[in-house]
Amino acid sequence: MTMDTARPADDRRRWQALWVCLTAGFMTLLDSSIVNVALPSMERGLGADTAALSWVVSGYALTFGLALVPAGRLGDLRGRRTVFLFGLALFTVASAACGLASDAGWLVFFRLSQGVASGILAPQTTGLIQQMFRGTERARAFGMLGSVVGLSTAIGPPAGGLLIHLFGTDDGWRWVFYVNLPIGVAAFCAALRLLPRTPPATCRREGVDLPGVLLLGTGVLALMLPLVQEQQWTGRLKWALLPVAALLLAGFWAWERWQGWWGQAPLLDLRLFAQRSFSLGVLLNLVYFAGFTTLFFVYTLFLQNGVGYTALAAGFSSLPFACGSAIGAAVSGRLVVRHGRKLVIAGLAVVALGLLTVIAAVQLVPGRGVAWAAALPLLVAGLGSGVTISPNTTLTLASVPVQRAGAAGGVLVTAQRIGSAAGIAAVGAVYFAHLANHGSPAVALQLGLLTAVGIIALALALAVADLREWQGEPVSTVRGGVARPEERDPAA
């Protein structure tokens, strides 16, 4: 076979492998939002109490966040294909077990397992993109990943509502999990055939940093627990876990530095944070996800509890955002090479504008017509979200060495999870506090969305400040796949 015939086949195989990764990513991210509208069905069908229902949602987020960085590093060390296949198999089996659960306790246990599997898969996807693509192709691949993130986040509520509508309120919740089975089996078979084989690390000192895993895991757990349980754990004692988290994460940082000084392989190479593109991108990811993911939380609550929409109708009301996000991410994946951070700034500004217009729509169109009035503003906000997430991911990981791509991707997604939990806690507190004191759902929604806009404005300020200092330099890092001199491979 000649080179001319071999190259197109290789290119086709890489893009097919990307679609396998995106399918698995879509399935796991979808499960973080599709379950929300199925909670009343679980309550009826299983007799689950409020505490169990809370852990069905928050437990998934917790174990997802805990697994990300260790799983990413494991993929770097042992081969991303192997770890991806294991995570996909675990997720598919856990989904079947969730659907078959006979009581709330087993459902929570299998849901935690599902979260671990999602945390294993996510960093392998970003690592495989880094491994398989370079330059403009990598930007395009991350654009497609951004479309998946936006779609999966927004399409979960309508998908869950549709399944409950089709299969009934008593057992419809089981199909929220069963729907993963054919997708998971098909993706596993395709992954066996298409994913590239990567040799595991051969360096003897590249072992698993167990103390680092323990310190990071307990630190992230202590940080996320009071955030994801903010509504369920009453009182202020829960916030005492935050200084504990700070101490544990400081201990993790010191341990990882010590590992580097003694020539041992750390769980996370802290020199990655010396790269401005990486450290700023992680911070932007954390702040932006704290703002935008809260939209679906308060908006669907408002439509169901404040206006009287069904779960299905409330879920479908978020579709304009999903469509806009998919389009924005796909387009920006091609433009980020040319425009760099300017694209992120434009995206953040458009998201803020879209949310402010949603607030105006709620004010001007009271009652059941509000979803129609907010559809166009949500579409605009979705476009901005796609133009934010995809370019920021590309720019954040542009100068990360491939051999550290899994751990770096794990850090990026961990920032998303922590940001989402913190944002929902903050915006939820504003929303529920106003409901408790004044009882106006429309005003509560407006105040909650104003809080989200304030968080997004903070992300916008960070991006603008960075652009002024960089003066457009990061574009070259994406176009050529080469880091600036101070941001070259820290492992070299």
Side-chain angles (χ1 to χ4, degrees):
M1 182 180 292
T2 66
M3 287 292 292
D4 290 339
T5 57
R7 181 58 186 269
D10 291 341
D11 287 346
R12 189 163 53 250
R13 186 183 182 90
R14 284 187 299 121
W15 290 106
Q16 289 172 342
L18 174 64
W19 277 109
V20 173
C21 295
L22 296 182
T23 300
F26 178 85
M27 183 173 60
T28 57
L29 289 171
L30 183 71
D31 257 56
S32 65
S33 59
I34 195 174
V35 167
N36 293 337
V37 296
L39 295 178
S41 177
M42 294 175 189
E43 187 176 14
R44 294 188 190 95
L46 282 181
D49 58 17
T50 303
L53 294 176
S54 169
W55 274 99
V56 167
V57 176
S58 61
Y60 184 88
L62 279 173
T63 52
F64 190 162
L66 290 174
L68 285 164
V69 176
R73 185 63 182 137
L74 186 64
D76 294 339
L77 292 174
R78 301 292 181 252
R80 298 183 186 102
R81 178 181 184 272
T82 301
V83 179
F84 182 95
L85 288 169
F86 172 75
L88 184 55
L90 177 61
F91 184 87
T92 305
V93 171
S95 296
C98 285
L100 293 169
S102 57
D103 58 51
W106 281 113
L107 176 60
V108 170
F109 175 78
F110 293 128
R111 182 70 170 158
L112 295 175
S113 304
Q114 220 186 11
V116 171
S118 298
I120 291 172
L121 281 168
Q124 312 316 319
T125 297
T126 55
L128 284 164
I129 290 175
Q130 293 281 90
Q131 176 184 325
M132 294 189 294
F133 300 99
R134 296 289 183 274
T136 56
E137 284 191 336
R138 181 184 289 177
R140 181 184 169 195
F142 276 125
M144 295 167 69
L145 178 62
S147 295
V148 165
V149 172
L151 274 172
S152 59
T153 303
I155 210 171
L162 181 61
L163 289 170
I164 299 299
H165 179 75
L166 291 175
F167 295 102
T169 56
D170 288 339
D171 290 319
W173 67 269
R174 297 186 186 274
W175 290 92
V176 166
F177 300 107
Y178 288 152
V179 74
N180 294 326
L181 302 186
I183 303 173
V185 171
F188 186 88
C189 294
L192 278 174
R193 185 173 63 89
L194 294 171
L195 290 188
R197 295 181 181 273
T198 51
T202 56
C203 181
R204 289 185 178 181
R205 62 195 181 107
E206 292 277 322
V208 178
D209 178 14
L210 291 179
V213 171
L214 182 62
L215 284 168
L216 179 63
T218 53
V220 171
L221 181 65
L223 176 61
M224 290 188 67
L225 260 178
L227 297 175
V228 300
Q229 293 291 102
E230 198 274 333
Q231 293 297 319
Q232 286 72 33
W233 291 359
T234 58
R236 298 181 180 178
L237 187 60
K238 57 178 177 272
W239 302 116
L241 284 173
L242 295 184
V244 175
L247 287 173
L248 288 167
L249 293 174
F252 169 75
W253 191 273
W255 171 259
E256 297 300 285
R257 286 177 63 90
W258 186 85
Q259 287 280 89
W261 286 336
W262 286 95
Q264 302 297 314
L267 174 65
L268 178 63
D269 192 337
L270 298 180
R271 288 173 293 180
L272 289 172
F273 290 96
Q275 300 177 13
R276 187 179 179 85
S277 59
F278 181 77
S279 56
L280 176 83
V282 169
L283 181 60
L284 275 175
N285 225 32
L286 187 149
V287 177
Y288 176 65
F289 270 76
F292 110 92
T293 53
T294 59
L295 166 66
F296 308 105
F297 175 63
V298 294
Y299 187 58
T300 53
L301 276 177
F302 163 73
L303 290 179
Q304 291 182 78
N305 300 335
V307 184
Y309 277 39
T310 64
L312 180 62
F316 272 98
S317 69
S318 63
L319 278 181
F321 189 99
C323 296
S325 181
I327 295 169
V331 172
S332 63
R334 301 173 186 273
L335 297 177
V336 65
V337 171
R338 184 181 307 166
H339 299 289
R341 286 282 176 202
K342 294 178 182 177
L343 210 56
V344 177
I345 291 172
L348 289 167
V350 171
V351 173
L353 175 64
L355 293 187
L356 287 172
T357 314
V358 171
I359 294 171
V362 174
Q363 177 68 30
L364 297 173
V365 187
R368 297 184 65 85
V370 66
W372 291 104
L376 182 58
L378 285 174
L379 177 66
V380 171
L383 285 168
S385 184
V387 174
T388 299
I389 295 172
S390 170
N392 186 60
T393 302
T394 303
L395 294 166
T396 302
L397 300 177
S399 53
V400 171
V402 173
Q403 62 268 33
R404 303 286 180 184
V411 171
L412 191 65
V413 183
T414 300
Q416 293 178 4
R417 297 300 97 202
I418 293 174
S420 295
I424 288 173
V427 173
V430 172
Y431 179 84
F432 288 115
H434 183 83
L435 279 182
N437 295 327
H438 304 284
S440 172
V443 176
L445 174 66
Q446 291 171 317
L447 291 174
L449 291 183
L450 278 175
T451 306
V453 171
I455 297 171
I456 291 169
L458 175 59
L460 179 60
L462 289 170
V464 170
D466 178 71
L467 181 66
R468 287 178 178 174
E469 183 149 342
W470 257 8
Q471 296 298 318
E473 289 182 46
V475 177
S476 63
T477 70
V478 181
R479 181 179 287 122
V482 179
R484 297 164 63 199
E486 69 271 28
E487 294 187 340
R488 293 195 185 277
D489 186 347

